């Protein structure tokens, strides 16, 4: 059953909100659980649709788990894993299921994962993952739609990524934990989620040097053991609430957040005039009447995250003046623009640059969510548009935001979930 959000704009947000654990950390960590038979205990796991999809995939592989959805503790028993196929039905729901390739290859010397297609925000190939697996000694073929990876034995090698790839780095780190000798990954992604995965793998017994840097050295070990780990806070969810407070002229405290992971984003939000105060695990946001327009361009961490580009655009719709937003990571990540225009936004697209003319009043309308972060931007626009905004197809949003409307409601927003 399709659902929509109905939002009455114009309510100032106030109070405090707690962000969930990072979806993009939880997914590789869940995949990593199959590297050991001794089990993994994870805390702060977000109860979002993508996590449920990964759990479904793990169940197919024979994993047993106990997920306390209220407090986010997930106990995983991976003692009976078998390298069965990860079918189309899983991969079509979530591309990040490709994260199972690395651990399956490492543990069973073979992986059968349905080949992902393009997606709403771009072509998103996995050629860099595959090239790296081959360098470790795997063969790759496509059979009846499945990507088939096989090896007799994985051996450490030197891998230099042409382009920074987050899940590519994660996949290759997981593939190489048992590879004979030393694997060097150059131009590794340094996103906090990659670091979180490496830290957990080290707790499980992997030997990884350079964690959190662009050069990772992995020394193959024989096996991994039991570990317990707390998932880092979701920086994208935290950033989304920053914008929610700013566009409604509100004043909120975001708890269980890590402001250091949001440096580039927060400094742009401050440049726009929003008042920000941070502590080790919180962000306080106070909206101001007159916002300034600011230019941004997305880039790999520690640059401005592409996953907050759509939300930042909504902030710029409130700022007086013209702002230039350049998307450098995904070639088709402006689908929110057409939808925002339905609310009265003045945005011009020129290739991978959006020219946003802010300061115009928006009015509520029916809009359609097209991908996860685009949906969040439509909700944010609805929070300050005059009248009622109905955001359709919110299943995209449910993939990555836990209790989004409940959290917004608790902050004073007028938002409800309805049948479409
Ligand atoms: C991850 C995040 C996603 C985020 C993105 C960029 C997860 C589950 N998802 O996605 O939320 O938006 O990082 O921060 O963590 N590329 C290739 N060949 C490859 C792999 C990637 O050309 O083999 C290209 C992609 O098309 C894209 C760029 O590299 O243009 C970066 O993509 P990548 O970092 O791999 O994104 P994901 O890991 O899929």
């Amino acid at each position: 059953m399709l659902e929509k959000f109905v939002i009455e704009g114009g309510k100032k947000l106030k109070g405090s909100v707690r962000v969930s654990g990072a979806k993009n950390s939880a997914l590789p960590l869940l995949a990593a659980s199959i590297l050991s038979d001794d089990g993994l205990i994870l805390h702060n796991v977000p109860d979002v649709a993508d996590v449920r999809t990964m759990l479904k995939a793990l169940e197919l592989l024979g994993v047993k788990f106990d997920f306390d959805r209220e407090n986010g503790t997930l106990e995983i028993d991976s003692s009976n894993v078998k390298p069965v196929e990860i079918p189309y039905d899983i991969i079509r729901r979530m591309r990040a299921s490709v994260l199972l390739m690395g651990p399956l290859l490492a543990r069973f010397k073979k992986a059968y994962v349905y080949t992902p297609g393009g997606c709403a925000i771009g072509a998103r190939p996995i050629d860099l993952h595959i090239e790296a697996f081959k360098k470790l000694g795997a063969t790759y073929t496509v059979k009846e739609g499945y990507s088939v990876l096989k090896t007799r034995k994985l051996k450490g090698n030197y891998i230099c990524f042409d382009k920074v790839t987050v899940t590519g780095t994660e996949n290759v780190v997981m593939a190489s934990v048992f590879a004979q000798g030393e694997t060097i990954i150059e131009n590794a992604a340094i996103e906090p989620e990659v670091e979180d995965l490496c830290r957990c793998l080290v707790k499980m017994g992997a030997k990884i040097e350079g964690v959190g840097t662009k050069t990772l050295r992995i020394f193959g070990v024989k096996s991994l053991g039991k570990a317990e780990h707390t998932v880092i806070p979701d920086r994208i969810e935290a950033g989304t609430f920053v914008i929610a407070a700013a566009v409604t002229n509100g004043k909120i405290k975001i708890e269980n957040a890590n402001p250091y992971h949001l440096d580039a984003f927060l400094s742009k939000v401050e440049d726009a005039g929003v008042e920000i105060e941070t502590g080790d695990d919180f962000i306080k946001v106070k909206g101001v009447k007159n916002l300034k327009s600011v230019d941004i361009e997305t880039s790999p961490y520690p640059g401005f995250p592409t996953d907050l580009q759509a939300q930042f655009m909504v902030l710029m719709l409130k700022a007086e003046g013209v702002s230039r937003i350049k998307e450098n990571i995904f070639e088709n990540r402006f689908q929110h623009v057409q939808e925002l225009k339905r609310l009265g936004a003045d945005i011009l697209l020129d290739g991978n640059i959006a020219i946003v003319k802010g300061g115009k009043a928006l009015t509520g309308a029916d809009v359609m969510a097209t991908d996860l972060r685009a949906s969040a931007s439509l909700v944010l626009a609805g929070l300050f548009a005059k009248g009622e905004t109905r955001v359709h197809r919110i299943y995209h949003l449910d993939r990555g935001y836990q209790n989004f409307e409940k959290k917004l409601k608790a902050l004073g927003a007028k938002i409800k979930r309805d049948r479409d």
Side-chain angles (χ1 to χ4, degrees):
M1 180 194 50
L2 287 180
E3 291 179 323
K4 66 176 178 240
F5 281 152
V6 180
I7 306 158
E8 187 68 43
K11 300 275 176 242
K12 280 187 180 193
L13 299 195
K14 39 182 197 288
S16 58
V17 63
R18 193 183 154 80
V19 296
S20 303
K23 162 185 93 74
N24 285 355
S25 253
L27 296 176
L29 287 166
L30 285 172
S33 71
I34 62 172
L35 287 165
S36 138
D37 345 302
D38 292 347
L40 179 65
I41 300 174
L42 293 172
H43 302 287
N44 206 30
V45 176
D47 183 18
V48 293
D50 274 8
V51 164
R52 281 179 236 135
T53 302
M54 186 59 97
L55 286 170
K56 251 193 204 126
L58 291 180
E59 264 181 329
L60 291 177
L61 294 169
V63 169
K64 300 232 164 10
F65 62 83
D66 186 6
F67 188 13
D68 181 341
R69 292 168 198 273
E70 277 296 302
N71 72 17
T73 295
L74 174 66
E75 290 189 39
I76 304 172
D77 168 4
S78 41
S79 53
N80 279 310
V81 179
K82 285 180 190 64
V84 298
E85 294 163 353
I86 303 297
Y88 173 67
D89 190 49
I90 297 282
I91 212 92
R92 82 180 165 89
R93 280 168 209 263
M94 184 181 71
R95 286 180 50 87
S97 334
V98 297
L99 282 165
L100 289 162
M101 285 179 174
L104 283 170
L105 190 60
R107 179 139 177 222
F108 300 102
K109 301 190 169 65
K110 54 188 171 194
Y112 305 91
V113 178
Y114 205 85
T115 311
C119 76
I121 59 174
R124 291 183 96 172
I126 53 162
D127 55 316
L128 299 171
H129 307 222
I130 303 298
E131 283 314 308
F133 292 145
K134 283 186 184 166
K135 281 209 156 171
L136 295 175
T139 58
Y140 171 74
T141 48
V142 177
K143 207 172 164 198
E144 289 163 6
Y146 282 86
S147 284
V148 180
L149 289 155
K150 284 187 179 166
T151 184
R152 270 210 207 113
K153 187 178 187 148
L154 293 180
K155 277 195 185 148
N157 203 343
Y158 175 83
I159 290 154
C160 181
F161 281 118
D162 283 347
K163 221 178 184 179
V164 176
T165 162
V166 175
T167 49
T169 303
E170 292 163 347
N171 233 341
V172 177
V173 169
M174 293 189 282
S176 60
V177 288
F178 303 137
Q180 189 185 27
E182 181 182 355
T183 300
I184 298 175
I185 305 176
E186 218 49 279
N187 200 24
I190 55 168
E191 268 66 4
E193 295 77 17
V194 179
E195 180 174 347
D196 203 30
L197 169 70
C198 291
R199 281 178 191 270
C200 180
L201 287 171
V202 168
K203 285 183 193 165
M204 292 164 80
K207 274 199 173 156
I208 310 175
E209 282 180 8
V211 172
T213 74
K214 290 184 107 21
T215 307
L216 295 171
R217 298 176 105 92
I218 300 122
F219 303 88
V221 293
K222 286 260 162 349
S223 63
L224 296 185
K226 196 178 167 87
E228 190 164 348
H229 184 78
T230 300
V231 178
I232 57 170
D234 197 307
R235 61 194 167 106
I236 308 303
E237 187 194 1
T240 304
F241 280 112
V242 168
I243 305 285
V247 294
T248 60
N249 228 336
K251 190 179 170 196
I252 69 167
K253 182 179 182 191
I254 302 165
E255 292 169 346
N256 188 37
N258 184 336
Y260 307 107
H261 292 164
L262 280 167
D263 264 352
F265 168 79
L266 289 177
S267 84
K268 287 292 182 181
V269 172
E270 281 188 303
D271 289 350
V274 179
E275 288 175 28
I276 301 283
E277 186 194 324
T278 59
D280 279 347
D281 62 353
F282 69 83
I283 304 167
K284 285 185 181 171
V285 192
K286 188 167 174 287
V288 294
K289 274 234 160 68
N290 298 313
L291 289 169
K292 291 184 281 263
S293 55
V294 180
D295 295 343
I296 58 155
E297 63 178 288
T298 61
S299 58
Y301 192 82
F304 192 101
T306 173
D307 284 353
L308 283 169
Q309 177 256 105
Q311 299 89 317
F312 194 84
M313 189 179 288
V314 175
L315 182 69
M316 289 300 97
L317 288 175
K318 275 218 94 176
E320 286 295 336
V322 178
S323 124
R324 196 172 164 275
I325 295 182
K326 190 169 178 213
E327 172 57 53
N328 290 315
I329 311 289
F330 293 111
E331 66 275 19
N332 195 22
R333 206 168 202 183
F334 280 139
Q335 295 199 42
H336 43 288
V337 169
Q338 284 310 327
E339 301 302 313
L340 291 171
K341 281 184 172 178
R342 290 175 161 175
L343 303 174
D346 187 348
I347 308 168
L348 204 79
L349 276 186
D350 179 11
N352 68 338
I353 296 171
I355 311 286
V356 182
K357 286 189 191 148
K360 281 194 162 185
L362 301 189
T363 33
D366 285 277
V367 288
M368 177 108 81
T370 49
D371 66 74
L372 170 54
R373 306 306 170 184
S375 355
S377 77
L378 300 178
V379 173
L380 294 174
L383 290 178
F384 76 91
K386 201 164 179 290
E388 191 177 281
T389 299
R390 291 160 301 274
V391 182
H392 302 270
R393 302 211 172 167
I394 52 169
Y395 61 87
H396 289 289
L397 194 133
D398 290 332
R399 287 187 39 214
Y401 289 89
Q402 181 172 3
N403 296 332
F404 194 47
E405 83 276 22
K406 286 187 189 143
K407 289 180 182 180
L408 284 171
K409 231 183 193 162
L411 292 170
K414 226 173 154 201
I415 178 169
K416 66 172 190 214
R417 185 182 284 264
D418 228 337
R419 278 183 173 205
D420 213 354

